[in-house]
Amino acid sequence: MKKLITATFFLLFIFCGNFYGVASNNDGSQNKDTSKVYFFIKKELNTGVYFSGSNEREEIRTDESKQNEERFTGSAGFQFENRIWNYLSYKQEFIDLTLDIGPFFGVGSWSDSTSLQMVDGDQTTVGLRSKLAVDYSSRFYYDDRNYTLVKVNAWVRDDLFHQSIDGATQDSSENWSDFDEKGLDNKFRYGFSANAGWGMGKLNPMNHYMVADYLLNKYYKGRLFSDEEIERLANKITELKLQRDPSLEKNYDAELSEIVDFLRTSMFLANPEIPQTDWELGEFMPRLSGSRLELGPFFNYYNREPDFYYGGFMQYDRAKYVNTSWNSNFSINLSYNHYKHHDWATLESNIGWTYYPNLKSQFGFGLKYIPGVVIYDWDEFDPVKHNFIPYIEYYRQVNSKTRVNFSFAWKIGDGEEFMMTGPEFSLAIYKSRY
């Protein structure tokens, strides 16, 4: 088994290295000095409501007992979020601070066993959930290709709820009796994870290039524009957006007037009649193009099982800007996880596409394939489990301030060692200041 895992890491490294080399040589944008195009600085302050649902599982083990619960949980509430993207030529940094609070409900199974008795039943829960999460990642580039990686995620969650358990209990004499328990309960959970490592390559944000490409092709139909011409307009768009003061109301009319003047005086094009909506609604989350390979150690802590595990990972990402309407995305991640009871290895691959019908919305879809194997010893391991996750995503700018974000996935698992099977969805409707 040790040789198998070592060989898998080696082959993936060779595959990603070769794939990276081919991608870099074939993607012309990787070899051009267009760093201004790839600047992306955006600060968002989002407030709104969310709805979500997924299957959850929790296990608590001690030397004397084992408690396990599985349930589908739906939640809704108020969300406050502060997000910052700071993508420059020498670093790509992302910060996300999120606060959620609102009601939730859960339906599922519950069991508790000790040497004296075993309880098995169905449970329903209704209560109030609050969660605070911080997500940070930074890729610092020493040159055009090589970088160091730091990723940190921390969260705390508190659930105050009423729980009802209806089932049966068996005592040490194997006598069964009815079990019915109701009452208030509280759960305080927290987790922390961190990744570090080294990488090569870059995923460049193409947002301003996309807007420039869209405007030129929409308002000058029949004319072919070179990459250099699109990049010139993209640089101007970048310049205007970097000058924005988040504390002040944006003056879209003045910015659009500068774009029209730039098209006339610097690119010698006729004055287009660009509506304000085509300018104010080009505010997507980062749309990326390029390829990168990164590897390093990681660890994960959770105050329930599995409480602490660590290991190593290797990940390859590739995104391609096809045209204003399409992006293709591919990623593959190999990780080995060490845990006190057993180890496990997973290979998570994702292939997907994003469709942009206009500057207001984007639609994504794809499939994740996640094979995994539980390892007890180098000579003792479970059969490989195969897991699939088809998914869809939708994002729309209703107007200059209102956003809608929706995602849905269905988890199909070969057993439940690596994930809970079933649906997972989220819907957020929020106001955005940026």
Side-chain angles (χ1 to χ4, degrees):
M1 183 61 192
K2 183 177 182 179
K3 293 181 179 179
L4 175 61
I5 295 175
T6 303
T8 303
F9 268 99
F10 179 75
L11 290 174
L12 181 63
F13 183 83
I14 296 298
F15 165 75
C16 292
N18 290 336
F19 198 4
Y20 169 78
V22 172
S24 298
N25 291 332
N26 290 341
D27 189 353
S29 63
Q30 293 281 346
N31 299 320
K32 295 174 183 175
D33 184 14
T34 56
S35 58
K36 288 186 179 180
V37 176
Y38 302 135
F39 283 2
F40 183 80
I41 299 177
K42 187 178 180 184
K43 300 178 182 180
E44 285 186 349
L45 184 62
N46 303 322
T47 54
V49 295
Y50 71 91
F51 308 88
S52 65
S54 65
N55 287 319
E56 297 180 351
R57 174 172 56 196
E58 181 172 283
E59 185 175 275
I60 305 173
R61 292 184 183 181
T62 68
D63 293 337
E64 294 81 22
S65 66
K66 175 183 175 182
Q67 186 182 102
N68 181 276
E69 59 179 303
E70 298 180 359
R71 65 186 182 186
F72 176 82
T73 301
S75 60
F78 173 80
Q79 184 175 80
F80 169 86
E81 183 177 39
N82 188 11
R83 291 191 291 189
I84 299 173
W85 292 274
N86 192 23
Y87 287 9
L88 303 173
S89 58
Y90 67 94
K91 72 174 179 179
Q92 293 187 346
E93 188 177 46
F94 174 69
I95 305 171
D96 188 2
L97 174 64
T98 306
L99 173 64
D100 301 335
I101 183 168
F104 78 97
F105 74 92
V107 178
S109 62
W110 186 91
S111 65
D112 189 12
S113 61
T114 66
S115 58
L116 299 178
Q117 70 172 357
M118 180 179 69
V119 180
D120 193 7
D122 298 324
Q123 67 160 325
T124 58
T125 57
V126 178
L128 181 69
R129 169 172 289 183
S130 57
K131 181 178 179 180
L132 176 65
V134 179
D135 190 12
Y136 172 79
S137 67
S138 175
R139 292 174 174 85
F140 184 88
Y141 282 81
Y142 297 99
D143 53 41
D144 290 341
R145 300 294 182 195
N146 299 285
Y147 63 89
T148 52
L149 166 70
V150 175
K151 292 179 66 177
V152 177
N153 177 268
W155 59 273
V156 293
R157 189 185 76 206
D158 187 70
D159 294 347
L160 178 63
F161 57 94
H162 180 273
Q163 185 179 43
S164 175
I165 302 174
D166 182 15
T169 179
Q170 182 187 48
D171 59 24
S172 57
S173 301
E174 298 187 356
N175 296 317
W176 286 93
S177 59
D178 292 337
F179 182 87
D180 186 6
E181 184 176 273
K182 296 180 176 65
L184 287 174
D185 202 352
N186 177 262
K187 289 183 179 179
F188 181 71
R189 303 290 183 260
Y190 57 90
F192 180 84
S193 63
N195 293 47
W198 168 85
M200 59 181 180
K202 183 180 288 188
L203 295 180
N204 293 306
M206 304 297 291
N207 299 61
H208 305 321
Y209 185 95
M210 172 191 177
V211 175
D213 196 3
Y214 179 88
L215 294 177
L216 290 174
N217 284 284
K218 180 177 180 179
Y219 295 103
Y220 300 96
K221 291 182 179 179
R223 174 165 178 171
L224 296 178
F225 291 94
S226 65
D227 288 341
E228 288 73 18
E229 289 175 308
I230 299 174
E231 288 162 4
R232 287 180 63 192
L233 179 57
N235 285 334
K236 181 62 178 179
I237 293 172
T238 302
E239 176 188 325
L240 289 175
K241 293 192 175 182
L242 292 183
Q243 290 174 356
R244 288 176 173 176
D245 186 341
S247 63
L248 301 178
E249 189 74 19
K250 286 176 281 297
N251 191 335
Y252 293 118
D253 289 334
E255 292 179 343
L256 186 56
S257 178
E258 283 199 50
I259 290 294
V260 172
D261 288 343
F262 179 82
L263 290 170
R264 184 184 70 253
T265 60
S266 298
M267 300 187 68
F268 307 106
L269 297 171
N271 278 2
E273 295 184 2
I274 303 176
Q276 184 173 311
T277 54
D278 273 355
W279 173 249
E280 68 183 32
L281 295 181
E283 300 293 343
F284 288 101
M285 291 174 283
R287 176 178 177 176
L288 304 173
S289 186
S291 57
R292 70 184 177 209
L293 173 68
E294 55 195 30
L295 68 160
F298 72 89
F299 74 88
N300 195 314
Y301 177 78
Y302 175 46
N303 67 330
R304 289 296 182 270
E305 299 285 343
D307 52 2
F308 179 78
Y309 61 91
Y310 61 92
F313 77 96
M314 180 184 299
Q315 177 156 337
Y316 175 80
D317 296 283
R318 174 165 168 77
K320 184 172 179 57
Y321 177 95
V322 180
N323 51 45
T324 55
S325 299
W326 286 98
N327 231 72
S328 63
N329 309 288
F330 172 79
S331 67
I332 185 168
N333 178 291
L334 175 65
S335 65
Y336 187 88
N337 308 265
H338 178 70
Y339 186 51
K340 57 187 178 184
H341 299 305
H342 57 264
D343 297 350
W344 70 88
T346 59
L347 180 65
E348 180 173 341
S349 59
N350 175 29
I351 183 168
W353 296 265
T354 309
Y355 173 61
Y356 300 80
N358 47 51
L359 291 182
K360 295 182 180 181
S361 55
Q362 66 184 69
F363 177 78
F365 57 95
L367 175 67
K368 296 180 181 180
Y369 169 55
I370 311 173
V373 59
V374 175
I375 304 166
Y376 302 100
D377 200 348
W378 292 118
D379 298 322
E380 182 185 357
F381 53 92
D382 287 344
V384 176
K385 301 294 184 179
H386 302 276
N387 308 281
F388 299 88
I389 308 177
Y391 64 90
I392 58 173
E393 300 168 338
Y394 180 71
Y395 171 83
R396 181 174 177 82
Q397 304 173 96
V398 179
N399 53 46
S400 62
K401 295 182 179 180
T402 306
R403 306 286 187 265
V404 175
N405 202 342
F406 172 77
S407 66
F408 177 83
W410 193 279
K411 298 180 178 180
I412 305 169
D414 182 11
E416 295 188 346
E417 288 86 350
F418 298 100
M419 66 182 187
M420 292 285 292
T421 58
E424 181 177 83
F425 69 89
S426 66
L427 171 65
I429 304 171
Y430 56 94
K431 294 285 188 179
S432 181
R433 290 181 55 197
Y434 56 90

